[in-house]
Each structure stands twice: as structure tokens, then as C-alpha cells.
Amino acid sequence: MAGAITHDLPPAADGRQGGPLIVTEDAELLDDLLRLCAAAGARPEVHHGVPEGRGSWEAAPLVLVGDDAARRVRGAARRRGVVLVGRDQDDSGVWKRAVEIGADHVLMLPDGEQWLVDRIADVAEGVGRPALTVGVIGGRGGAGASTLACALAVTSAREGRRTLLVDADPLGGGLDVLLGGEAAEGLRWPAFAASRGRVGGGALEESLPELHALRVLSWDRGDSVTIPAQAVRAVLAAARRRGGTVVVDLPRRVDEGVAEALAQLDLGLLVVPADLRAVAAAKRVASVVGMVLRDLRVAVRGPYAPGLDDREVARLLGLPLVGEVPAESAPLDAGVPPGGAVRGPLARFCTAFWQRVPVEGGGV
């Protein structure tokens, strides 16, 4: 059980933080807290009371005070990020003691273990603002969604943002292939199929292939074409915690795993060729995607059928218009990734897109 009293834990700066400060003389409680810190990948500092000097108490990203030590820390300076940890579910006095020490939360073990592991992992990773997460989906087959997704990611990385490109379409052939990195070392989606609960953001990033200054989560050449929804949720949540930008290439079908991906997007781009049949197909895709994703916008690809332009396509779909997606200037088999030609029309389109859309995470 965990209960909030005043406010959330303090936001952490970018980069890894120090471990939490543990204050307790209860040997059994200390063993449990050390076990939970180990599970979260954090190294705590342990004291029986308020540390001498001001540094440790004020600087620790998270302070875990055992209920046995509440009286000993009563006179400590008030700060955010203090959690009072106990075991007695029936002790109503714990709330009074929490107020006396200025605790943000009261947590009872063992019920609150997962909550606490997540909080410890957050401070260990230095979690700041989540990544701006953009999904790209084709209005019909061959619309060029994968090319646009790669170009957006390449452009984001070139501008110095921490960038992760996620291939959520197992039947698309692999974005690592499109980027010329099918032989690059690193994990692919099947390695994360058993993921549940929390995945470490830093560990995820370091395990993936690095291509063109960005990380890529793609598919291998095996037979596995499905990832459980829980694994999709865990992996994308980890990616978002790292900040910067996450670009997701989505299939047109929506199963449980794709629905999980859609639920974590900040906005989606529906790529639609400018002909009536493509618009009709895209309208069906938009109706399904729109049940999960609120912010869906249309990016139109020429050439245009008679009587159509980008504004008319957007009007027919009832979606906001991002603009016309130009063709890539360099052939994709020339060793240059989509968006890799800095002065090319596709790179300019993507650069303008990132300038118009605030990148809240901004991690580098």
C-alpha cells in the first residue's frame, strides 16, 4: 500500500543520479529495502539517523525513512522526495508521523514493493521529461510511412536529440535494413518478448543497434512476428523515460500490441498518397487509429490525382494537415538513409516538422 500526502517525487536531472538514502535501524526492513534497491539497479546510502552534515540528506534524490526512525529525523530540514516506510497496515499513527517529518508518501511493505522499485529506478535513471513520441502509419500499403519514420528519426538525431526509432511492423522487412544496418550488433524485438513490468531505460538504449547517431529497435530475420502487449508497453515506457524523441513505425492493422503503442504516442502522422482510392483506405485506418490516438494528423504524398491537393485530402479525411511529404532526393540503395541528405527535400520537410512540434523531452 502506498499513500500520497502532499506532492510527487522531485523531477530528476538528465543523467544517472545517486542512489536513495535509507534511514532505519530495523534490520529486517533494511534487508527488504536493500533488496528493492538492487532490483531497481540503485546503490543506496544507509544511516541510522539524519546524516551528519547537510550534504547527504538534502542531495539524495529519494529518502526512505523506516517507521522506526521517524522520531530521529523529525528535526531534519524539510525537503521533497521523502517516503516513510512501514509494515503495520493497522497503525493509524503512521500518517501523523509522516506529517511530522514532511514525508511525501507513506508506503507499507510488502504491498507497496512494486511502487517503490519503480520510484527507486526512476531516480537511479535520472528520469526527466518523457520523450516526444511520434507514430507514423501508412494510409494504405506502399504509402511511404517507413521512409518518413526513418527520415524523422535521422533528422532528429542529426539535430542533437537523443533519438530512438521503433519498428512496430513485424511484416515490414525491418527498419534496420532500410537504414543499412541489418548486420549491426544489438538486440531486436524478439529479445524483449518476455518483458514484463519495468524495463530499464538506460539498459534498453545501450542494448540496441546504433545507426546514424540513433538507436533502432527492429526485427530480426527469424519467424517471430508477434510481441505480447505487456512487452510493448514495458519497452515503450522505458524508451519514453529517456527523453528526447521516439519515432514509431506502425502497421495499418491494430492488434493489442499496436494499441499499446498507439496509447503511448503524443501524436500520429497518417501518410496518404494523393489519390481517391488511397484516401478511402486511409479513412478506414484513421477511424480505427482514432479510437486510441487523439492527435492524428495527415501527411500527403504526391503525385496528385486530378482535383486533389494536400488540403483537399486533409479535408476529406477530417484531419489536420502537416504538409506534403516530398520524395527522397537520393536513391535508398545509395548508402544514404532516408533524410540523410541534409539539403534534400525530405530532410528539409522533417527539419521543419521538428521545428513546429515542441520536443519536450529534449534529451541528448
Side-chain angles (χ1 to χ4, degrees):
M1 180 185 74
I5 294 179
T6 53
H7 41 247
D8 292 332
L9 299 176
D14 288 337
R16 291 190 66 84
Q17 305 292 300
L21 171 65
I22 298 176
V23 181
T24 184
E25 285 186 325
D26 183 330
E28 186 177 355
L29 178 62
L30 177 59
D31 284 345
D32 282 337
L33 293 177
L34 291 176
R35 172 175 55 83
L36 297 179
C37 286
R43 289 186 175 183
E45 180 180 342
V46 180
H47 290 268
H48 297 317
V50 178
E52 294 183 7
R54 301 183 54 179
S56 297
W57 178 266
E58 282 86 357
L62 180 66
V63 178
L64 308 178
V65 179
D67 194 27
D68 67 289
R71 291 182 177 84
R72 296 195 296 277
V73 304
R74 192 179 297 167
R78 294 301 176 100
R79 51 152 294 165
R80 299 177 66 187
V82 176
V83 180
L84 184 63
V85 185
R87 293 181 179 281
D88 188 353
Q89 304 276 359
D90 299 321
D91 182 7
S92 59
V94 69
W95 295 95
K96 179 182 178 181
R97 294 189 291 276
V99 171
E100 289 174 346
I101 67 172
D104 297 323
H105 290 81
V106 172
L107 181 137
M108 292 296 172
L109 298 180
D111 292 359
E113 285 193 357
Q114 187 57 57
W115 183 92
L116 188 54
V117 168
D118 287 346
R119 300 293 77 72
I120 295 171
D122 280 345
V123 301
E125 287 186 357
V127 174
R129 291 176 179 153
L132 175 67
T133 306
V134 177
V136 186
I137 185 169
R140 66 158 169 81
S146 295
T147 298
L148 178 58
C150 286
L152 286 169
V154 167
T155 306
S156 171
R158 187 167 55 235
E159 294 178 355
R161 303 186 187 98
R162 173 185 283 122
T163 304
L164 173 62
L165 175 61
V166 179
D167 185 354
D169 185 0
L171 302 180
L175 293 187
D176 54 350
V177 177
L178 188 55
L179 292 172
E182 60 271 21
E185 293 186 1
L187 299 182
R188 268 66 173 180
W189 263 119
F192 299 97
S195 298
R196 300 290 187 276
R198 183 188 178 95
V199 174
L204 171 68
E205 183 178 35
E206 293 170 4
S207 71
L208 300 177
E210 183 173 6
L211 304 169
H212 308 288
L214 59 96
R215 297 285 179 166
V216 181
L217 176 54
S218 189
W219 296 84
D220 61 13
R221 265 30 85 184
D223 295 333
S224 176
V225 294
T226 59
I227 297 295
Q230 302 96 314
V232 174
R233 182 190 310 126
V235 169
L236 286 182
R240 284 175 56 81
R241 287 196 303 271
R242 294 295 286 168
T245 59
V246 175
V247 180
V248 185
D249 182 31
L250 294 158
R252 286 182 295 129
R253 74 181 193 287
V254 178
D255 57 19
E256 290 185 356
V258 174
E260 284 291 347
L262 289 170
Q264 298 204 43
L265 298 182
D266 294 304
L267 65 94
L269 300 181
L270 182 65
V271 184
V272 184
D275 65 70
L276 289 177
R277 187 179 179 189
V279 172
K283 196 169 186 66
R284 299 185 67 178
V285 174
S287 66
V288 175
V289 171
M291 291 190 292
V292 182
L293 178 62
R294 292 185 177 181
D295 190 352
L296 181 63
R297 311 177 192 183
V298 61
V300 182
R301 279 190 57 231
Y304 292 93
L308 287 181
D309 59 19
D310 53 358
R311 295 180 182 276
E312 179 63 9
V313 171
R315 187 193 68 80
L316 291 171
L317 293 172
L319 296 174
L321 176 65
V322 170
E324 178 185 350
V325 182
E328 181 60 278
S329 56
L332 295 181
D333 59 358
V336 179
V342 178
R343 293 184 174 84
L346 184 56
R348 292 199 303 269
F349 172 88
C350 294
T351 298
F353 171 81
W354 292 125
Q355 290 173 347
R356 292 195 304 269
V357 179
V359 182
E360 294 295 340
V364 294

